[in-house]
Amino acid sequence: MAKESWFTEFPDMERSDLIALRKSLDGTYREFSREYGDLIESFFDPLLSFLVWFENLLISSPWLLVLIAITGLAYAASRSWKLCLGVVCSLLAIGYFGMWENTMRTLSVITVCTLVSLLLGIPTGIAMARSDRVQKVVTPMLDIMQTMPAFVYLIPVVMLLGIGKIPGVIAVVIYAIPPVIRLTNLGIRLVDKEVLEAATAYGASSFQRLWGVQLPLAMPTIMAGINQTIMMALAMVVIASMIGVKGLGQPVLKSITNQYFTLGLLNGLAIVALAIIFDRVSQAYAQRTQKHLGGIEHA
């Protein structure tokens, strides 16, 4: 009978052992969060201060000044008046429907998350491109970060740091950082070896080859990674609102719980508008960079 049971039922762990294992792991993590939670939270205080300052700057500044600044940045990146006109129209529509303040909150969070992702992701991608061993170690971690449901890693972050802006930023960065790491690694690895050999023949050091040859040639691919990172950060806005991140995600969450269709639709469209602005501006900048490099190579 035992042998027949072994063939028909999967030999899983005893329920009592599984419960004991779960309690042991949960207890260990709780002790860790109580012991080191305050220390880890203090480590993120400078980031929190910068985020609060930047959010207050966007909200308290005159809306016209903010609109001009964002449009100026869009033109500096794209050199396209048509794109700038689309940015102005989108932001005016957002403000007209009463979503300006929440949009500024979301913009501040996305900007900070993107900066943190770039500061961590690009050096990691460079390290992966320069070492196969680092790539073998980091790639499985990226696989986990990209496939793990966002709600799962919200649990340890909230247990460790509570509810607020910093846990939201950490959750967004974990979700959004893999594309920029992967595409930085890919872009550098795809640089023609003959170009690197020519740079070496002219006496370029390893750092000079990286800074002057590999990164410029890999920039279109890296920009694609930055674009995807921004898109994924925006996709986390609603989920981040569940742990206290204010912005466009909170009205969407409220509309889900209270069945307010119009509220959710308008704020969802505002998120889409931000995503389109970031996407078109970053793509236009990448295309300009590619044309510039193409002109250099042709010369």
Side-chain angles (χ1 to χ4, degrees):
M1 291 293 292
K3 185 178 290 187
E4 184 180 348
S5 176
W6 187 86
F7 278 109
T8 57
E9 297 181 9
F10 197 91
D12 57 353
M13 182 185 291
E14 292 291 336
R15 182 171 177 80
S16 58
D17 295 336
L18 183 60
I19 292 174
L21 177 63
R22 289 174 179 171
K23 287 183 177 179
S24 176
L25 293 175
D26 289 344
T28 301
Y29 189 76
R30 286 195 190 95
E31 290 178 4
F32 174 80
S33 62
R34 288 168 187 161
E35 186 72 22
Y36 299 103
D38 292 337
L39 179 63
I40 295 173
E41 190 171 354
S42 64
F43 175 78
F44 289 105
D45 281 345
L47 180 63
L48 177 61
S49 300
F50 175 73
L51 178 57
V52 170
W53 171 82
F54 188 52
E55 182 180 297
N56 290 334
L57 177 67
L58 290 177
I59 293 174
S60 60
S61 298
W63 68 269
L64 186 59
L65 186 62
V66 175
L67 183 64
I68 292 171
I70 294 174
T71 307
L73 290 173
Y75 180 76
S78 65
R79 296 291 195 276
S80 170
W81 285 110
K82 291 181 181 179
L83 182 57
C84 290
L85 181 61
V87 171
V88 170
C89 292
S90 299
L91 292 177
L92 287 177
I94 286 171
Y96 182 74
F97 285 103
M99 297 178 290
W100 181 263
E101 186 170 324
N102 280 334
T103 301
M104 293 301 103
R105 294 182 190 277
T106 297
L107 184 62
S108 65
V109 171
I110 297 305
T111 302
V112 170
C113 290
T114 302
L115 291 175
V116 172
S117 297
L118 298 186
L119 289 173
L120 297 176
I122 292 178
T124 304
I126 292 172
M128 289 175 66
R130 295 169 73 89
S131 172
D132 290 337
R133 183 176 297 178
V134 174
Q135 179 175 250
K136 289 179 181 177
V137 172
V138 175
T139 299
M141 297 170 61
L142 297 178
D143 294 337
I144 293 171
M145 291 163 68
Q146 285 189 291
T147 55
M148 182 74 73
F151 292 101
V152 174
Y153 56 72
L154 284 180
I155 299 169
V157 171
V158 171
M159 287 177 65
L160 188 63
L161 299 172
I163 292 176
K165 288 183 171 65
I166 291 301
V169 168
I170 293 173
V172 172
V173 169
I174 292 173
Y175 183 78
I177 199 173
V180 72
I181 296 176
R182 289 186 186 275
L183 289 174
T184 299
N185 172 38
L186 178 64
I188 293 175
R189 285 179 178 270
L190 288 177
V191 173
D192 194 343
K193 287 183 170 52
E194 292 182 0
V195 177
L196 295 178
E197 290 171 0
T200 304
Y202 278 102
S205 65
S206 177
F207 177 78
Q208 288 172 332
R209 289 198 305 271
L210 173 66
W211 190 256
V213 178
Q214 290 175 300
L215 284 178
L217 292 177
M219 189 54 65
T221 306
I222 295 173
M223 284 302 302
I226 294 172
N227 176 278
Q228 289 303 306
T229 290
I230 296 171
M231 294 299 102
M232 293 182 73
L234 279 165
M236 275 289 288
V237 166
V238 177
I239 296 177
S241 68
M242 299 178 67
I243 56 174
V245 178
K246 294 181 179 179
L248 293 169
Q250 284 195 331
V252 174
L253 189 63
K254 181 181 178 181
S255 68
I256 294 172
T257 55
N258 295 284
Q259 298 181 1
Y260 296 150
F261 171 72
T262 306
L263 179 66
L265 178 64
L266 289 176
N267 284 271
L269 289 175
I271 295 173
V272 171
L274 280 182
I276 292 173
I277 290 171
F278 277 117
D279 178 67
R280 299 299 185 271
V281 170
S282 60
Q283 281 190 9
Y285 180 75
Q287 289 172 0
R288 283 183 55 233
T289 305
Q290 202 165 10
K291 288 179 182 178
H292 174 68
L293 290 173
I296 291 175
E297 290 172 1
H298 180 72

